[in-house]
C-alpha cells in the first residue's frame, strides 16, 4: 500500500515537472519513479525534506547537468512554502534508441512560509 504524499510534496513535484517539461526542449518523456518526504525543523523554521526519483529520455549529460543547475536556481511555485534548495544527488545515463535515457534523483527542502 502506498502512503499519501503531502501537499508540499505534491506541489513541489508538479512544479519540478512543469519546469523540466518547459525547459528541457529535447525531453521526450517524463516518468516519476518514486517520491518520499519527511518533516524537517530548525530552531526557527519548519518544513519538509523531499526526494524525487525521475526518469526521462532525451538530451545528453551536459544538457541534463545544465538543466539541473538551472532548476536549482529557479523560483518554483509551491503554495504556502518556500523552496529553499533543490539539488541532484544521482544521475544515471543509459544509451537508448532513439535518445539517451536519464534517471535523476533530486533532493529538495521546502520551508513553511
Amino acid at each position: 500500500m502506498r502512503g499519501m504524499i503531502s501537499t508540499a510534496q505534491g506541489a513541489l513535484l508538479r512544479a519540478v515537472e512543469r519546469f523540466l517539461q518547459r525547459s528541457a526542449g529535447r525531453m521526450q518523456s517524463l516518468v516519476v519513479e518514486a517520491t518520499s518526504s519527511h518533516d524537517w525543523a530548525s530552531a526557527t523554521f519548519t518544513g519538509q525534506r523531499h526526494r524525487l526519483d525521475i526518469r526521462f529520455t532525451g538530451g545528453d549529460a551536459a544538457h541534463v547537468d545544465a538543466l539541473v543547475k538551472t532548476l536549482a536556481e529557479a523560483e518554483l511555485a509551491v503554495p504556502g512554502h518556500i523552496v529553499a534548495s533543490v539539488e541532484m544527488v544521482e544521475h544515471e545515463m543509459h544509451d537508448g534508441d532513439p535518445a539517451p535515457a536519464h534517471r535523476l534523483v533530486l533532493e529538495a527542502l521546502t520551508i513553511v512560509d
Side-chain angles (χ1 to χ4, degrees):
M1 185 166 135
R2 288 187 173 178
M4 299 285 291
I5 66 172
S6 69
T7 302
Q9 184 182 16
L12 174 67
L13 183 56
R14 286 187 299 277
V16 168
E17 285 178 314
R18 280 191 304 271
F19 174 86
L20 291 175
Q21 289 170 342
R22 191 174 54 245
S23 301
R26 293 176 276 186
M27 185 188 313
Q28 297 171 359
S29 66
L30 174 67
V31 175
V32 177
E33 294 285 325
T35 64
S36 64
S37 67
H38 63 272
D39 291 339
W40 172 91
S42 70
T44 53
F45 299 105
T46 60
Q48 291 183 327
R49 287 209 172 271
H50 309 274
R51 186 173 173 100
L52 309 174
D53 191 333
I54 299 170
R55 181 174 42 90
F56 62 92
T57 56
D60 59 19
H63 177 251
V64 173
D65 289 341
L67 182 66
V68 172
K69 182 179 180 187
T70 304
L71 174 63
E73 299 168 358
E75 294 286 327
L76 299 175
V78 177
H81 294 80
I82 297 168
V83 180
S85 68
V86 177
E87 62 185 45
M88 178 175 61
V89 295
E90 287 181 46
H91 176 206
E92 295 175 8
M93 184 174 128
H94 303 280
D95 290 332
D97 185 28
H102 302 272
R103 179 182 161 267
L104 295 181
V105 177
L106 304 173
E107 290 184 350
L109 173 65
T110 56
I111 297 172
V112 176
D113 190 12

